[in-house]
Amino acid sequence: MRHSRALISAGAAAAVATWWFTDSAPYPYSQRWLLDLPLPFLTLKRLDHVLQAREGERILEIGPGTGLQSLHVAPQLGPNGQLDIVDIQQKMLDHVGRRAKEQGIDNIVPNCADAHELPFADDSFDAAYLVTALGEIPDPARTLAELRRALKPFGRLVVGEFFDRHQIRPSSLISLAEGAGMRVARLFGPPFAYYAVLRPIDA
């Protein structure tokens, strides 16, 4: 039993080491399997708690990767709701699309686009979220400003960040949010693996 646990621990450590030293932005499709590994504190249950997705809402996800969060959130929106996903890699969007089809999820709309220039009208979304994605974007301030524009006046934005070379620390996020006309309303989790809920300053 101890030997098995040691092997599992060694395997997990090797996976983390691989992820750390090969981490690049955007995350390469060839290493997509790492994107399905659960991260401490950034669980789907905690995402549910902070995002509070509701049936009939239109929600935006930036950087869906292989769809770990997308395939969890989309069904919560029901047949009248919609999850738009944005990625600059068409392969990632196609991957999520295949998985959604396999699971009978038909309310995910893919958009191959740059997060610096979102292809949506003002006030389009009830909520938006990014999990381990904001820090990988070259100009996160510009992306936050775009998200603020695309969100409805009382919309909510959830940012999930995990400790790696691209992580945006909580203090930096507070400053970036203010520059984009938003405020960090709440923080959940430790600094190395946190979710933040952002709201428009005037909301």
Side-chain angles (χ1 to χ4, degrees):
M1 179 68 75
R2 290 182 179 177
H3 180 67
S4 297
R5 288 179 179 173
L7 287 175
I8 292 172
S9 297
V16 170
T18 299
W19 158 76
W20 179 272
F21 288 109
T22 62
D23 186 26
S24 60
Y27 209 88
Y29 182 71
S30 61
Q31 297 176 18
R32 60 192 177 278
W33 64 273
L34 286 170
L35 297 176
D36 280 333
L37 294 177
L39 293 174
F41 299 99
L42 298 185
T43 62
L44 295 176
K45 183 177 181 180
R46 181 161 286 184
L47 177 61
D48 287 343
H49 177 69
V50 295
L51 182 61
Q52 297 184 8
R54 304 178 184 91
E55 187 170 351
E57 287 190 320
R58 186 182 182 191
I59 292 181
L60 172 63
E61 178 182 10
I62 304 292
T66 55
L68 180 63
Q69 289 81 26
S70 314
L71 300 171
H72 178 76
V73 171
Q76 300 176 40
L77 305 179
N80 297 318
Q82 179 172 303
L83 177 67
D84 287 82
I85 59 174
V86 168
D87 204 293
I88 60 171
Q89 297 184 80
Q90 186 64 47
K91 286 184 178 180
M92 289 293 191
L93 296 171
D94 293 342
H95 188 95
V96 177
R98 287 192 297 271
R99 294 182 69 183
K101 185 176 182 180
E102 290 169 0
Q103 298 182 28
I105 300 171
D106 60 4
N107 62 344
I108 297 178
V109 179
N111 300 270
C112 191
D114 190 324
H116 296 145
E117 297 180 11
L118 297 175
F120 307 109
D122 296 357
D123 307 333
S124 292
F125 297 95
D126 298 288
Y129 66 95
L130 312 84
V131 181
T132 65
L134 185 61
E136 295 187 350
I137 297 171
D139 190 347
R142 186 174 171 186
T143 294
L144 286 175
E146 272 290 273
L147 285 165
R148 171 67 185 88
R149 178 190 65 76
L151 281 172
K152 294 180 180 179
F154 291 93
R156 58 203 186 276
L157 171 62
V158 171
V159 174
E161 286 287 300
F162 189 77
F163 181 68
D164 63 15
R165 288 180 289 177
H166 308 293
Q167 191 206 33
I168 294 179
R169 308 298 190 261
S171 58
S172 296
L173 180 63
I174 291 171
S175 178
L176 288 169
E178 290 177 352
M182 304 192 78
R183 59 185 173 85
V184 175
R186 298 191 69 180
L187 282 167
F188 299 86
F192 67 84
Y194 70 88
Y195 276 120
V197 179
L198 282 65
R199 299 274 187 177
I201 288 176
D202 52 357

